[in-house]
Amino acid sequence: MDKITESYIGEVEAVKDEPNYVIVPMVMFAYESSKYVTEDEIAVYYEIVYHASARDVSMSHVNVELLYARLKWDASTPSRGKKRIIDSIVALKEKGYIVIESHGEEITAATYLTIRINKRVFKDRIVCGNTAYTGWTKIYESEMNTAKTDRYKIGQRLKVLTYIKWRHNINYSICFEEWANVLGASPRTAKRIIKSLKEEGVINVKSGEYYTDWNNNVRQEINQFSLPEEKEELDDDYKPTVTQRQRKMVSVAELLTKTTDKRMVDRPELFVYGDLSEEDMYIYLTTECSIVKEWGKKRFDAISKKPKGKEMVENWEMKAKKRIENEQQEPRRIQIEAVQKENPTTVSVDVTNYTEQDEDAHTKAYRMAQAKREEQERIKREEENERFRQEMLELEDEYEEAI
């Protein structure tokens, strides 16, 4: 097939340098409309267009046997795989993507098909949510081959690759709710799919920056996605791709055997690309292990590269240092309380500040009220920390587990 490109729908211009590609209409992703296609349908559409005539890129001459040879679905049960292809062809016709001229009333595996691409779908515009789906995206043969590395998920992978390329032109950011709609899956399943493709090195994921909202809650901006070919510069050197991990990192198990800080066994977060908290900062500030110090510095420096991440790290550091200070004062507090218990007639002591003072009724009432307020603030902080922990668990792909 001649290498071709379209400067405009219907106008064909021959070129020598550009590899083969298929233009995919983006209304296929309009999830709230009748134009939305399944994973099988987008894969079959690609193969139909791939076999387009060099003279007329809107026409393709294929049959189910040829498409099956390309897709290799259900190899153990070919009849099932061919039925999936037939069902997809029929669905693409019903949704207005293709027009079929078949030499027979019923499509079978051997039926010779002349299929024309409906050019109108490239000009359609459908709005779903806040996104307008229109135009098309070029999907090169190399990208389809990437999708085919898992023949059980060709359509799913093709959808992700196509959508990322399209969003590259308008906006890198894609939330998981949007991924769920595009993939026709639940948000949890969408997260699993994206995480798997990232770990495989098929896509790049740049995690959104952290920030504090008006209610002083820590939030994260939407993740950004790109394909490895785009060679997007990641801001955080410690959010590597699978290939980078293999070159730069040792296993968590090996690190745990080398560290002298036994706390890392129960809480290895500094060694893995997962969520961090003030507890990890506390370990970092109090450890005597050089390995923990080194990894802690890498992790916190990486997060601090952005202003909002720096703010979050400073907040952890403040809380951790306050905890260390309280622990350093604890022996003195115990000593004072012991003296008071043994000598109940001695001058009352404010064990909070460890200074001797005469305590009248008014002072005592104020101290008790102050203690109540502090307890309420402590409970509030614990509730905020728990909410923050739950939010951090939901921040998909901020960091991945190290290999």
Side-chain angles (χ1 to χ4, degrees):
M1 177 173 117
D2 292 343
K3 295 178 179 180
I4 59 174
T5 184
E6 292 191 355
S7 58
Y8 183 76
I9 299 299
E11 295 183 13
V12 181
E13 178 186 356
V15 297
K16 295 181 179 179
D17 298 331
E18 189 166 20
N20 293 342
Y21 65 84
V22 166
I23 53 175
V24 177
M26 293 313 298
V27 288
M28 286 186 165
F29 295 85
Y31 52 87
E32 293 177 344
S33 74
S34 60
K35 292 291 186 180
Y36 179 80
V37 299
T38 66
E39 295 171 4
D40 281 3
E41 290 162 13
I42 192 173
V44 170
Y45 173 87
Y46 179 96
E47 295 298 345
I48 290 174
V49 180
Y50 178 84
H51 291 281
S53 168
R55 293 185 178 181
D56 184 355
V57 295
S58 66
M59 178 183 290
S60 181
H61 303 285
V62 295
N63 63 16
V64 175
E65 291 286 1
L66 174 61
L67 298 176
Y68 178 76
R70 292 276 299 174
L71 294 170
K72 298 182 176 63
W73 282 339
D74 298 303
S76 59
T77 313
S79 60
R80 184 186 305 164
K82 293 173 185 178
K83 184 179 185 303
R84 287 171 61 185
I85 293 173
I86 292 173
D87 290 345
S88 296
I89 291 174
V90 173
L92 288 170
K93 177 184 177 182
E94 292 176 348
K95 293 176 182 180
Y97 290 103
I98 60 176
V99 177
I100 303 174
E101 299 174 10
S102 60
H103 302 278
E105 296 181 356
E106 183 180 357
I107 299 176
T108 66
T111 303
Y112 178 78
L113 302 171
T114 299
I115 299 178
R116 292 186 177 275
I117 308 304
N118 185 354
K119 299 177 184 179
R120 182 177 56 81
V121 296
F122 298 102
K123 299 180 180 180
D124 285 346
R125 184 177 185 274
I126 300 175
V127 178
C128 294
N130 296 320
T131 303
Y133 294 92
T134 188
W136 69 90
T137 299
K138 291 182 181 180
I139 297 298
Y140 291 94
E141 187 175 9
S142 60
E143 291 159 346
M144 183 57 171
N145 290 337
T146 298
K148 286 182 176 179
T149 55
D150 187 343
R151 70 168 183 253
Y152 298 104
K153 301 176 182 178
I154 294 174
Q156 179 186 96
R157 294 157 70 90
L158 185 59
K159 274 192 172 186
V160 172
L161 293 173
T162 305
Y163 204 73
I164 287 177
K165 289 193 71 175
W166 181 63
R167 286 302 293 266
H168 171 93
N169 297 321
I170 57 175
N171 184 354
Y172 273 113
S173 302
I174 309 173
C175 67
F176 282 106
E177 182 179 355
E178 185 174 356
W179 274 125
N181 290 328
V182 167
L183 295 172
S186 67
R188 182 183 296 273
T189 300
K191 286 184 179 181
R192 178 177 52 78
I193 292 169
I194 297 303
K195 179 180 180 181
S196 176
L197 291 175
K198 179 186 176 183
E199 291 176 344
E200 193 178 331
V202 174
I203 63 175
N204 291 333
V205 181
K206 180 181 177 182
S207 298
E209 298 178 16
Y210 287 103
Y211 66 95
T212 304
D213 62 18
W214 291 105
N215 295 320
N216 206 33
N217 295 318
V218 177
R219 302 291 186 219
Q220 186 191 24
E221 294 178 348
I222 300 173
N223 293 344
Q224 295 182 338
F225 299 84
S226 62
L227 302 187
E229 297 81 38
E230 296 167 13
K231 297 180 181 178
E232 182 185 3
E233 187 71 22
L234 294 180
D235 292 321
D236 183 353
D237 291 336
Y238 292 92
K239 293 185 289 186
T241 63
V242 171
T243 302
Q244 290 171 326
R245 289 197 195 105
Q246 292 171 342
R247 291 199 308 264
K248 295 181 179 179
M249 300 178 61
V250 295
S251 68
V252 176
E254 184 177 350
L255 287 170
L256 290 175
T257 60
K258 291 182 177 181
T259 181
T260 57
D261 195 326
K262 301 305 180 184
R263 294 175 296 181
M264 299 302 294
V265 176
D266 296 324
R267 187 172 179 82
E269 271 69 13
L270 286 173
F271 288 164
V272 301
Y273 286 97
D275 50 355
L276 298 181
S277 70
E278 63 185 86
E279 180 66 24
D280 302 294
M281 176 62 75
Y282 172 79
I283 293 175
Y284 167 65
L285 293 176
T286 58
T287 189
E288 296 181 357
C289 176
S290 60
I291 296 176
V292 177
K293 286 183 178 296
E294 178 185 357
W295 274 79
K297 186 176 187 307
K298 289 179 180 179
R299 295 299 307 282
F300 294 124
D301 284 352
I303 298 175
S304 298
K305 286 184 177 181
K306 295 300 177 93
K308 293 168 184 176
K310 182 179 180 181
E311 180 183 347
M312 182 170 60
V313 171
E314 290 175 346
N315 185 44
W316 290 340
E317 184 176 6
M318 179 188 67
K319 292 180 179 179
K321 286 182 176 179
K322 185 175 181 180
R323 175 178 169 183
I324 294 171
E325 182 182 351
N326 290 339
E327 289 176 349
Q328 292 172 344
Q329 294 176 344
E330 183 67 11
R332 175 60 176 161
R333 186 185 67 80
I334 294 174
Q335 180 183 7
I336 292 174
E337 288 182 344
V339 171
Q340 286 182 316
K341 185 175 182 180
E342 293 176 2
N343 303 279
T345 59
T346 59
V347 178
S348 299
V349 177
D350 183 346
V351 296
T352 302
N353 296 312
Y354 313 134
T355 58
E356 294 185 357
Q357 60 183 26
D358 293 328
E359 188 174 53
D360 56 24
H362 178 74
T363 302
K364 182 177 181 180
Y366 174 81
R367 180 173 59 81
M368 292 180 66
Q370 179 68 15
K372 184 177 180 180
R373 284 194 297 271
E374 290 177 353
E375 176 64 14
Q376 291 173 341
E377 290 177 358
R378 183 189 65 80
I379 294 173
K380 182 179 179 180
R381 285 195 301 271
E382 290 182 352
E383 291 175 348
E384 290 176 348
N385 289 339
E386 178 62 21
R387 284 197 301 271
F388 174 72
R389 189 183 71 83
Q390 293 298 327
E391 291 170 0
M392 290 288 285
L393 292 175
E394 292 296 323
L395 297 179
E396 180 70 18
D397 296 322
E398 166 59 18
Y399 290 101
E400 295 296 333
E401 286 192 356
I403 294 178

